[in-house]
mmCIF file of all heavy atoms in Angstrom:
data_model
loop_
_atom_site.group_PDB
_atom_site.id
_atom_site.type_symbol
_atom_site.label_atom_id
_atom_site.label_comp_id
_atom_site.label_asym_id
_atom_site.label_seq_id
_atom_site.Cartn_x
_atom_site.Cartn_y
_atom_site.Cartn_z
ATOM 1 N N ALA A 1 7.584 -0.157 6.599
ATOM 2 C CA ALA A 1 6.410 0.540 6.045
ATOM 3 C C ALA A 1 5.775 -0.281 4.878
ATOM 4 O O ALA A 1 6.546 -1.050 4.225
ATOM 5 C CB ALA A 1 6.846 1.902 5.592
ATOM 6 N N LYS A 2 4.496 -0.080 4.653
ATOM 7 C CA LYS A 2 3.878 -0.950 3.651
ATOM 8 C C LYS A 2 4.405 -0.674 2.244
ATOM 9 O O LYS A 2 4.282 -1.527 1.349
ATOM 10 C CB LYS A 2 2.347 -0.835 3.713
ATOM 11 C CG LYS A 2 1.789 0.574 3.534
ATOM 12 C CD LYS A 2 0.240 0.467 3.560
ATOM 13 C CE LYS A 2 -0.384 1.855 3.399
ATOM 14 N NZ LYS A 2 -0.335 2.666 4.627
ATOM 15 N N GLN A 3 4.977 0.526 1.978
ATOM 16 C CA GLN A 3 5.472 0.784 0.647
ATOM 17 C C GLN A 3 6.887 0.308 0.405
ATOM 18 O O GLN A 3 7.433 0.457 -0.692
ATOM 19 C CB GLN A 3 5.358 2.333 0.299
ATOM 20 C CG GLN A 3 6.173 3.230 1.191
ATOM 21 C CD GLN A 3 5.311 3.853 2.273
ATOM 22 O OE1 GLN A 3 4.724 3.095 3.040
ATOM 23 N NE2 GLN A 3 5.277 5.168 2.371
ATOM 24 N N VAL A 4 7.484 -0.297 1.408
ATOM 25 C CA VAL A 4 8.861 -0.852 1.230
ATOM 26 C C VAL A 4 8.812 -2.004 0.238
ATOM 27 O O VAL A 4 7.971 -2.866 0.252
ATOM 28 C CB VAL A 4 9.443 -1.336 2.600
ATOM 29 C CG1 VAL A 4 10.718 -2.109 2.373
ATOM 30 C CG2 VAL A 4 9.684 -0.160 3.502
ATOM 31 N N GLN A 5 9.799 -1.982 -0.685
ATOM 32 C CA GLN A 5 9.891 -3.020 -1.695
ATOM 33 C C GLN A 5 11.249 -3.701 -1.542
ATOM 34 O O GLN A 5 12.122 -3.182 -0.864
ATOM 35 C CB GLN A 5 9.768 -2.443 -3.123
ATOM 36 C CG GLN A 5 8.401 -1.866 -3.375
ATOM 37 C CD GLN A 5 8.364 -1.194 -4.731
ATOM 38 O OE1 GLN A 5 9.193 -1.437 -5.628
ATOM 39 N NE2 GLN A 5 7.379 -0.330 -4.929
ATOM 40 N N GLU A 6 11.409 -4.843 -2.183
ATOM 41 C CA GLU A 6 12.683 -5.580 -2.110
ATOM 42 C C GLU A 6 13.862 -4.704 -2.548
ATOM 43 O O GLU A 6 14.947 -4.799 -1.964
ATOM 44 C CB GLU A 6 12.602 -6.844 -2.920
ATOM 45 C CG GLU A 6 11.810 -7.933 -2.245
ATOM 46 C CD GLU A 6 11.860 -9.246 -2.944
ATOM 47 O OE1 GLU A 6 12.715 -9.469 -3.835
ATOM 48 O OE2 GLU A 6 10.968 -10.122 -2.661
ATOM 49 N N LYS A 7 13.641 -3.868 -3.560
ATOM 50 C CA LYS A 7 14.750 -3.046 -4.079
ATOM 51 C C LYS A 7 15.227 -2.069 -2.986
ATOM 52 O O LYS A 7 16.393 -1.712 -2.955
ATOM 53 C CB LYS A 7 14.388 -2.303 -5.365
ATOM 54 C CG LYS A 7 13.300 -1.324 -5.240
ATOM 55 C CD LYS A 7 13.054 -0.619 -6.601
ATOM 56 C CE LYS A 7 11.881 0.294 -6.588
ATOM 57 N NZ LYS A 7 11.791 1.555 -6.416
ATOM 58 N N ASP A 8 14.264 -1.596 -2.091
ATOM 59 C CA ASP A 8 14.733 -0.730 -1.009
ATOM 60 C C ASP A 8 15.636 -1.452 -0.015
ATOM 61 O O ASP A 8 16.608 -0.900 0.459
ATOM 62 C CB ASP A 8 13.467 -0.200 -0.257
ATOM 63 C CG ASP A 8 12.547 0.577 -1.193
ATOM 64 O OD1 ASP A 8 13.024 1.448 -1.904
ATOM 65 O OD2 ASP A 8 11.332 0.346 -1.163
ATOM 66 N N LEU A 9 15.283 -2.704 0.207
ATOM 67 C CA LEU A 9 16.102 -3.508 1.149
ATOM 68 C C LEU A 9 17.416 -3.851 0.482
ATOM 69 O O LEU A 9 18.458 -3.880 1.169
ATOM 70 C CB LEU A 9 15.341 -4.736 1.573
ATOM 71 C CG LEU A 9 14.030 -4.492 2.399
ATOM 72 C CD1 LEU A 9 13.292 -5.795 2.614
ATOM 73 C CD2 LEU A 9 14.337 -3.775 3.692
ATOM 74 N N LYS A 10 17.387 -4.103 -0.797
ATOM 75 C CA LYS A 10 18.642 -4.416 -1.513
ATOM 76 C C LYS A 10 19.570 -3.161 -1.481
ATOM 77 O O LYS A 10 20.770 -3.283 -1.293
ATOM 78 C CB LYS A 10 18.374 -4.798 -2.951
ATOM 79 C CG LYS A 10 19.609 -5.260 -3.703
ATOM 80 C CD LYS A 10 19.311 -5.628 -5.106
ATOM 81 C CE LYS A 10 20.630 -6.057 -5.827
ATOM 82 N NZ LYS A 10 20.476 -6.441 -7.225
ATOM 83 N N PHE A 11 18.953 -1.980 -1.606
ATOM 84 C CA PHE A 11 19.731 -0.737 -1.567
ATOM 85 C C PHE A 11 20.473 -0.567 -0.267
ATOM 86 O O PHE A 11 21.616 -0.098 -0.208
ATOM 87 C CB PHE A 11 18.791 0.428 -1.803
ATOM 88 C CG PHE A 11 19.397 1.769 -1.744
ATOM 89 C CD1 PHE A 11 20.339 2.206 -2.685
ATOM 90 C CD2 PHE A 11 19.099 2.666 -0.742
ATOM 91 C CE1 PHE A 11 20.938 3.445 -2.638
ATOM 92 C CE2 PHE A 11 19.692 3.930 -0.659
ATOM 93 C CZ PHE A 11 20.600 4.301 -1.612
ATOM 94 N N ILE A 12 19.823 -0.989 0.829
ATOM 95 C CA ILE A 12 20.461 -0.830 2.124
ATOM 96 C C ILE A 12 21.404 -2.033 2.460
ATOM 97 O O ILE A 12 22.553 -1.859 2.819
ATOM 98 C CB ILE A 12 19.358 -0.765 3.216
ATOM 99 C CG1 ILE A 12 18.564 0.537 3.040
ATOM 100 C CG2 ILE A 12 19.962 -0.802 4.627
ATOM 101 C CD1 ILE A 12 17.272 0.630 3.803
ATOM 102 N N PHE A 13 20.919 -3.255 2.309
ATOM 103 C CA PHE A 13 21.678 -4.402 2.720
ATOM 104 C C PHE A 13 22.642 -4.951 1.629
ATOM 105 O O PHE A 13 23.544 -5.740 1.959
ATOM 106 C CB PHE A 13 20.736 -5.539 3.218
ATOM 107 C CG PHE A 13 20.013 -5.123 4.443
ATOM 108 C CD1 PHE A 13 18.667 -4.701 4.376
ATOM 109 C CD2 PHE A 13 20.592 -5.089 5.673
ATOM 110 C CE1 PHE A 13 17.962 -4.321 5.530
ATOM 111 C CE2 PHE A 13 19.963 -4.701 6.824
ATOM 112 C CZ PHE A 13 18.602 -4.275 6.743
ATOM 113 N N GLY A 14 22.514 -4.472 0.430
ATOM 114 C CA GLY A 14 23.438 -4.875 -0.632
ATOM 115 C C GLY A 14 24.885 -4.410 -0.389
ATOM 116 O O GLY A 14 25.815 -4.965 -0.895
ATOM 117 N N ARG A 15 24.989 -3.356 0.469
ATOM 118 C CA ARG A 15 26.360 -2.875 0.757
ATOM 119 C C ARG A 15 27.191 -3.861 1.546
ATOM 120 O O ARG A 15 28.376 -3.755 1.629
ATOM 121 C CB ARG A 15 26.294 -1.543 1.505
ATOM 122 C CG ARG A 15 25.611 -1.609 2.886
ATOM 123 C CD ARG A 15 25.684 -0.280 3.571
ATOM 124 N NE ARG A 15 26.912 -0.154 4.333
ATOM 125 C CZ ARG A 15 27.805 0.806 4.141
ATOM 126 N NH1 ARG A 15 27.567 1.764 3.288
ATOM 127 N NH2 ARG A 15 28.923 0.900 4.848
ATOM 128 N N TYR A 16 26.523 -4.876 2.118
ATOM 129 C CA TYR A 16 27.284 -5.879 2.926
ATOM 130 C C TYR A 16 27.659 -7.106 2.087
ATOM 131 O O TYR A 16 28.087 -8.102 2.623
ATOM 132 C CB TYR A 16 26.437 -6.261 4.142
ATOM 133 C CG TYR A 16 26.086 -5.058 4.976
ATOM 134 C CD1 TYR A 16 24.774 -4.537 4.915
ATOM 135 C CD2 TYR A 16 27.025 -4.398 5.723
ATOM 136 C CE1 TYR A 16 24.407 -3.384 5.628
ATOM 137 C CE2 TYR A 16 26.695 -3.236 6.432
ATOM 138 C CZ TYR A 16 25.397 -2.753 6.384
ATOM 139 O OH TYR A 16 25.077 -1.595 7.061
ATOM 140 N N VAL A 17 27.369 -7.026 0.753
ATOM 141 C CA VAL A 17 27.653 -8.176 -0.087
ATOM 142 C C VAL A 17 28.633 -7.821 -1.159
ATOM 143 O O VAL A 17 28.561 -6.706 -1.711
ATOM 144 C CB VAL A 17 26.308 -8.634 -0.766
ATOM 145 C CG1 VAL A 17 26.555 -9.837 -1.627
ATOM 146 C CG2 VAL A 17 25.281 -8.940 0.263
ATOM 147 N N ASP A 18 29.585 -8.679 -1.401
ATOM 148 C CA ASP A 18 30.543 -8.442 -2.480
ATOM 149 C C ASP A 18 30.017 -9.049 -3.764
ATOM 150 O O ASP A 18 29.978 -10.311 -3.949
ATOM 151 C CB ASP A 18 31.875 -9.112 -2.136
ATOM 152 C CG ASP A 18 32.869 -8.968 -3.268
ATOM 153 O OD1 ASP A 18 32.629 -8.241 -4.204
ATOM 154 O OD2 ASP A 18 33.941 -9.664 -3.200
ATOM 155 N N PHE A 19 29.395 -8.243 -4.647
ATOM 156 C CA PHE A 19 28.766 -8.774 -5.830
ATOM 157 C C PHE A 19 29.757 -9.247 -6.903
ATOM 158 O O PHE A 19 29.357 -9.803 -7.883
ATOM 159 C CB PHE A 19 27.814 -7.648 -6.417
ATOM 160 C CG PHE A 19 26.506 -7.583 -5.672
ATOM 161 C CD1 PHE A 19 26.424 -6.786 -4.525
ATOM 162 C CD2 PHE A 19 25.457 -8.366 -6.036
ATOM 163 C CE1 PHE A 19 25.214 -6.721 -3.811
ATOM 164 C CE2 PHE A 19 24.281 -8.328 -5.314
ATOM 165 C CZ PHE A 19 24.117 -7.465 -4.196
ATOM 166 N N GLN A 20 31.039 -8.997 -6.648
ATOM 167 C CA GLN A 20 32.058 -9.534 -7.566
ATOM 168 C C GLN A 20 32.171 -11.021 -7.325
ATOM 169 O O GLN A 20 32.580 -11.781 -8.203
ATOM 170 C CB GLN A 20 33.427 -8.880 -7.264
ATOM 171 C CG GLN A 20 33.433 -7.370 -7.340
ATOM 172 C CD GLN A 20 33.203 -6.850 -8.764
ATOM 173 O OE1 GLN A 20 33.809 -7.380 -9.679
ATOM 174 N NE2 GLN A 20 32.349 -5.874 -8.916
ATOM 175 N N SER A 21 31.818 -11.476 -6.112
ATOM 176 C CA SER A 21 31.941 -12.909 -5.799
ATOM 177 C C SER A 21 30.621 -13.628 -6.017
ATOM 178 O O SER A 21 29.600 -13.257 -5.524
ATOM 179 C CB SER A 21 32.305 -13.018 -4.276
ATOM 180 O OG SER A 21 31.955 -14.274 -3.789
ATOM 181 N N GLU A 22 30.715 -14.634 -6.864
ATOM 182 C CA GLU A 22 29.471 -15.385 -7.237
ATOM 183 C C GLU A 22 28.856 -16.041 -6.035
ATOM 184 O O GLU A 22 27.686 -16.078 -5.832
ATOM 185 C CB GLU A 22 29.813 -16.415 -8.297
ATOM 186 C CG GLU A 22 28.534 -16.992 -8.954
ATOM 187 C CD GLU A 22 28.856 -18.068 -10.024
ATOM 188 O OE1 GLU A 22 29.984 -18.071 -10.498
ATOM 189 O OE2 GLU A 22 27.972 -18.853 -10.276
ATOM 190 N N VAL A 23 29.708 -16.550 -5.119
ATOM 191 C CA VAL A 23 29.230 -17.240 -3.898
ATOM 192 C C VAL A 23 28.430 -16.240 -3.041
ATOM 193 O O VAL A 23 27.306 -16.564 -2.611
ATOM 194 C CB VAL A 23 30.457 -17.767 -3.053
ATOM 195 C CG1 VAL A 23 29.980 -18.432 -1.774
ATOM 196 C CG2 VAL A 23 31.244 -18.805 -3.915
ATOM 197 N N GLU A 24 29.026 -15.090 -2.806
ATOM 198 C CA GLU A 24 28.330 -14.067 -1.940
ATOM 199 C C GLU A 24 27.022 -13.588 -2.636
ATOM 200 O O GLU A 24 25.996 -13.421 -1.986
ATOM 201 C CB GLU A 24 29.271 -12.855 -1.659
ATOM 202 C CG GLU A 24 30.406 -13.202 -0.780
ATOM 203 C CD GLU A 24 30.916 -11.997 -0.004
ATOM 204 O OE1 GLU A 24 30.294 -10.949 -0.033
ATOM 205 O OE2 GLU A 24 31.937 -12.150 0.715
ATOM 206 N N ARG A 25 27.080 -13.464 -3.935
ATOM 207 C CA ARG A 25 25.922 -12.959 -4.698
ATOM 208 C C ARG A 25 24.780 -13.983 -4.531
ATOM 209 O O ARG A 25 23.622 -13.616 -4.358
ATOM 210 C CB ARG A 25 26.330 -12.817 -6.147
ATOM 211 C CG ARG A 25 25.514 -11.829 -6.910
ATOM 212 C CD ARG A 25 26.137 -11.435 -8.254
ATOM 213 N NE ARG A 25 26.422 -12.605 -9.088
ATOM 214 C CZ ARG A 25 27.639 -12.761 -9.626
ATOM 215 N NH1 ARG A 25 28.601 -11.970 -9.454
ATOM 216 N NH2 ARG A 25 27.850 -13.849 -10.422
ATOM 217 N N ASN A 26 25.119 -15.264 -4.612
ATOM 218 C CA ASN A 26 24.097 -16.286 -4.496
ATOM 219 C C ASN A 26 23.537 -16.427 -3.131
ATOM 220 O O ASN A 26 22.381 -16.816 -2.909
ATOM 221 C CB ASN A 26 24.650 -17.648 -4.965
ATOM 222 C CG ASN A 26 24.947 -17.659 -6.441
ATOM 223 O OD1 ASN A 26 24.394 -16.854 -7.210
ATOM 224 N ND2 ASN A 26 25.811 -18.542 -6.896
ATOM 225 N N MET A 27 24.363 -16.088 -2.117
ATOM 226 C CA MET A 27 23.891 -16.182 -0.721
ATOM 227 C C MET A 27 23.010 -15.017 -0.302
ATOM 228 O O MET A 27 22.279 -15.067 0.636
ATOM 229 C CB MET A 27 25.093 -16.293 0.221
ATOM 230 C CG MET A 27 25.793 -17.572 0.100
ATOM 231 S SD MET A 27 27.124 -17.738 1.262
ATOM 232 C CE MET A 27 26.268 -18.131 2.794
ATOM 233 N N PHE A 28 23.088 -13.925 -1.060
ATOM 234 C CA PHE A 28 22.326 -12.756 -0.729
ATOM 235 C C PHE A 28 20.838 -12.996 -1.148
ATOM 236 O O PHE A 28 20.576 -13.264 -2.301
ATOM 237 C CB PHE A 28 22.863 -11.526 -1.469
ATOM 238 C CG PHE A 28 22.190 -10.216 -1.109
ATOM 239 C CD1 PHE A 28 21.933 -9.881 0.197
ATOM 240 C CD2 PHE A 28 21.794 -9.362 -2.114
ATOM 241 C CE1 PHE A 28 21.325 -8.693 0.525
ATOM 242 C CE2 PHE A 28 21.205 -8.155 -1.800
ATOM 243 C CZ PHE A 28 20.946 -7.798 -0.511
ATOM 244 N N ASP A 29 20.011 -12.936 -0.154
ATOM 245 C CA ASP A 29 18.614 -13.392 -0.424
ATOM 246 C C ASP A 29 17.682 -12.482 0.388
ATOM 247 O O ASP A 29 17.868 -12.256 1.598
ATOM 248 C CB ASP A 29 18.474 -14.868 0.023
ATOM 249 C CG ASP A 29 17.050 -15.328 -0.004
ATOM 250 O OD1 ASP A 29 16.387 -15.145 -1.050
ATOM 251 O OD2 ASP A 29 16.605 -15.903 1.002
ATOM 252 N N ILE A 30 16.660 -11.910 -0.273
ATOM 253 C CA ILE A 30 15.693 -11.057 0.419
ATOM 254 C C ILE A 30 14.330 -11.647 0.316
ATOM 255 O O ILE A 30 13.853 -11.944 -0.778
ATOM 256 C CB ILE A 30 15.663 -9.636 -0.186
ATOM 257 C CG1 ILE A 30 17.067 -8.938 0.011
ATOM 258 C CG2 ILE A 30 14.575 -8.763 0.484
ATOM 259 C CD1 ILE A 30 17.166 -7.628 -0.683
ATOM 260 N N ARG A 31 13.695 -11.915 1.456
ATOM 261 C CA ARG A 31 12.307 -12.373 1.491
ATOM 262 C C ARG A 31 11.473 -11.338 2.197
ATOM 263 O O ARG A 31 11.517 -11.313 3.431
ATOM 264 C CB ARG A 31 12.241 -13.726 2.227
ATOM 265 C CG ARG A 31 13.123 -14.719 1.550
ATOM 266 C CD ARG A 31 12.384 -16.024 1.204
ATOM 267 N NE ARG A 31 13.296 -16.826 0.425
ATOM 268 C CZ ARG A 31 13.524 -18.105 0.671
ATOM 269 N NH1 ARG A 31 12.945 -18.696 1.711
ATOM 270 N NH2 ARG A 31 14.289 -18.791 -0.137
ATOM 271 N N LEU A 32 10.770 -10.575 1.448
ATOM 272 C CA LEU A 32 9.914 -9.510 2.005
ATOM 273 C C LEU A 32 8.481 -10.043 2.084
ATOM 274 O O LEU A 32 7.900 -10.477 1.101
ATOM 275 C CB LEU A 32 10.004 -8.240 1.211
ATOM 276 C CG LEU A 32 9.094 -7.101 1.555
ATOM 277 C CD1 LEU A 32 9.433 -6.601 2.974
ATOM 278 C CD2 LEU A 32 9.222 -5.931 0.557
ATOM 279 N N MET A 33 7.920 -10.024 3.326
ATOM 280 C CA MET A 33 6.572 -10.505 3.490
ATOM 281 C C MET A 33 5.583 -9.384 3.265
ATOM 282 O O MET A 33 5.702 -8.290 3.889
ATOM 283 C CB MET A 33 6.348 -11.027 4.948
ATOM 284 C CG MET A 33 7.497 -11.924 5.411
ATOM 285 S SD MET A 33 7.624 -13.407 4.379
ATOM 286 C CE MET A 33 9.103 -14.153 5.094
ATOM 287 N N LYS A 34 4.649 -9.604 2.312
ATOM 288 C CA LYS A 34 3.748 -8.498 1.956
ATOM 289 C C LYS A 34 2.271 -8.814 2.343
ATOM 290 O O LYS A 34 1.407 -7.919 2.205
ATOM 291 C CB LYS A 34 3.824 -8.224 0.439
ATOM 292 C CG LYS A 34 5.181 -7.707 0.007
ATOM 293 C CD LYS A 34 5.261 -7.520 -1.482
ATOM 294 C CE LYS A 34 6.656 -6.991 -1.871
ATOM 295 N NZ LYS A 34 6.846 -6.960 -3.309
ATOM 296 N N GLU A 35 2.079 -9.993 2.792
ATOM 297 C CA GLU A 35 0.661 -10.377 3.115
ATOM 298 C C GLU A 35 0.609 -11.100 4.454
ATOM 299 O O GLU A 35 1.616 -11.618 4.939
ATOM 300 C CB GLU A 35 0.091 -11.298 2.046
ATOM 301 C CG GLU A 35 -0.101 -10.514 0.733
ATOM 302 C CD GLU A 35 -0.318 -11.493 -0.427
ATOM 303 O OE1 GLU A 35 -0.554 -12.674 -0.210
ATOM 304 O OE2 GLU A 35 -0.220 -11.059 -1.583
ATOM 305 N N GLY A 36 -0.583 -11.149 5.028
ATOM 306 C CA GLY A 36 -0.807 -11.881 6.263
ATOM 307 C C GLY A 36 -0.138 -11.341 7.477
ATOM 308 O O GLY A 36 0.237 -10.162 7.526
ATOM 309 N N ARG A 37 0.030 -12.197 8.461
ATOM 310 C CA ARG A 37 0.574 -11.737 9.776
ATOM 311 C C ARG A 37 1.998 -11.271 9.671
ATOM 312 O O ARG A 37 2.447 -10.481 10.497
ATOM 313 C CB ARG A 37 0.501 -12.903 10.826
ATOM 314 C CG ARG A 37 -0.914 -13.099 11.350
ATOM 315 C CD ARG A 37 -0.874 -14.010 12.549
ATOM 316 N NE ARG A 37 -0.063 -15.177 12.379
ATOM 317 C CZ ARG A 37 0.823 -15.601 13.253
ATOM 318 N NH1 ARG A 37 1.017 -14.948 14.383
ATOM 319 N NH2 ARG A 37 1.558 -16.710 13.047
ATOM 320 N N MET A 38 2.700 -11.823 8.736
ATOM 321 C CA MET A 38 4.152 -11.465 8.612
ATOM 322 C C MET A 38 4.382 -10.193 7.788
ATOM 323 O O MET A 38 5.492 -9.796 7.547
ATOM 324 C CB MET A 38 4.885 -12.606 7.885
ATOM 325 C CG MET A 38 4.925 -13.875 8.665
ATOM 326 S SD MET A 38 5.989 -13.814 10.108
ATOM 327 C CE MET A 38 7.599 -13.970 9.363
ATOM 328 N N LYS A 39 3.317 -9.518 7.401
ATOM 329 C CA LYS A 39 3.427 -8.275 6.641
ATOM 330 C C LYS A 39 4.356 -7.268 7.318
ATOM 331 O O LYS A 39 4.282 -7.105 8.545
ATOM 332 C CB LYS A 39 2.057 -7.703 6.436
ATOM 333 C CG LYS A 39 1.939 -6.684 5.272
ATOM 334 C CD LYS A 39 0.493 -6.329 5.129
ATOM 335 C CE LYS A 39 0.350 -5.300 4.007
ATOM 336 N NZ LYS A 39 -1.033 -4.874 3.805
ATOM 337 N N GLY A 40 5.147 -6.574 6.561
ATOM 338 C CA GLY A 40 6.045 -5.575 7.185
ATOM 339 C C GLY A 40 7.263 -6.195 7.794
ATOM 340 O O GLY A 40 8.000 -5.516 8.539
ATOM 341 N N GLN A 41 7.554 -7.425 7.445
ATOM 342 C CA GLN A 41 8.758 -8.089 7.961
ATOM 343 C C GLN A 41 9.576 -8.647 6.757
ATOM 344 O O GLN A 41 9.023 -8.893 5.720
ATOM 345 C CB GLN A 41 8.348 -9.215 8.911
ATOM 346 C CG GLN A 41 7.602 -8.695 10.113
ATOM 347 C CD GLN A 41 7.001 -9.826 10.927
ATOM 348 O OE1 GLN A 41 7.715 -10.739 11.348
ATOM 349 N NE2 GLN A 41 5.744 -9.725 11.212
ATOM 350 N N ALA A 42 10.832 -8.886 6.982
ATOM 351 C CA ALA A 42 11.646 -9.433 5.939
ATOM 352 C C ALA A 42 12.769 -10.288 6.539
ATOM 353 O O ALA A 42 13.193 -10.030 7.664
ATOM 354 C CB ALA A 42 12.229 -8.323 5.109
ATOM 355 N N PHE A 43 13.165 -11.304 5.773
ATOM 356 C CA PHE A 43 14.347 -12.100 6.132
ATOM 357 C C PHE A 43 15.444 -11.827 5.044
ATOM 358 O O PHE A 43 15.140 -11.914 3.863
ATOM 359 C CB PHE A 43 13.966 -13.574 6.154
ATOM 360 C CG PHE A 43 13.122 -13.941 7.342
ATOM 361 C CD1 PHE A 43 11.714 -13.953 7.245
ATOM 362 C CD2 PHE A 43 13.669 -14.203 8.589
ATOM 363 C CE1 PHE A 43 10.949 -14.225 8.329
ATOM 364 C CE2 PHE A 43 12.900 -14.493 9.686
ATOM 365 C CZ PHE A 43 11.498 -14.507 9.561
ATOM 366 N N ILE A 44 16.589 -11.556 5.479
ATOM 367 C CA ILE A 44 17.667 -11.271 4.556
ATOM 368 C C ILE A 44 18.860 -12.171 4.817
ATOM 369 O O ILE A 44 19.396 -12.202 5.893
ATOM 370 C CB ILE A 44 18.090 -9.799 4.645
ATOM 371 C CG1 ILE A 44 16.885 -8.954 4.199
ATOM 372 C CG2 ILE A 44 19.275 -9.484 3.688
ATOM 373 C CD1 ILE A 44 16.954 -7.505 4.637
ATOM 374 N N GLY A 45 19.228 -12.962 3.809
ATOM 375 C CA GLY A 45 20.386 -13.848 3.919
ATOM 376 C C GLY A 45 21.595 -13.123 3.446
ATOM 377 O O GLY A 45 21.658 -12.543 2.347
ATOM 378 N N LEU A 46 22.655 -13.087 4.296
ATOM 379 C CA LEU A 46 23.875 -12.419 3.923
ATOM 380 C C LEU A 46 24.987 -13.512 3.856
ATOM 381 O O LEU A 46 24.856 -14.616 4.408
ATOM 382 C CB LEU A 46 24.203 -11.387 4.952
ATOM 383 C CG LEU A 46 23.310 -10.115 4.844
ATOM 384 C CD1 LEU A 46 23.369 -9.295 6.136
ATOM 385 C CD2 LEU A 46 23.650 -9.270 3.663
#
């Protein structure tokens, strides 16, 4: 949905990351597309 923000995705996908581990924390990456053809899509690195 257009009102989705990165924090919403972090709230859902953050559960799959061990934030105690610096390596896992650094690998967790959210790229939410807000403009153009890619709008409403996101890439999440776990």
Side-chain angles (χ1 to χ4, degrees):
K2 57 178 181 284
Q3 62 264 56
V4 170
Q5 296 175 18
E6 283 186 16
K7 66 177 172 97
D8 299 312
L9 295 174
K10 185 181 179 181
F11 176 66
I12 294 166
F13 294 102
R15 62 176 274 122
Y16 305 105
V17 181
D18 176 11
F19 281 88
Q20 305 292 316
S21 157
E22 195 181 337
V23 177
E24 291 207 6
R25 207 165 53 231
N26 292 338
M27 289 183 78
F28 184 46
D29 172 50
I30 296 174
R31 302 233 171 129
L32 175 61
M33 314 299 175
K34 293 177 181 172
E35 291 164 15
R37 283 193 315 132
M38 296 289 283
K39 199 173 177 182
Q41 299 171 52
F43 289 93
I44 296 160
L46 288 163

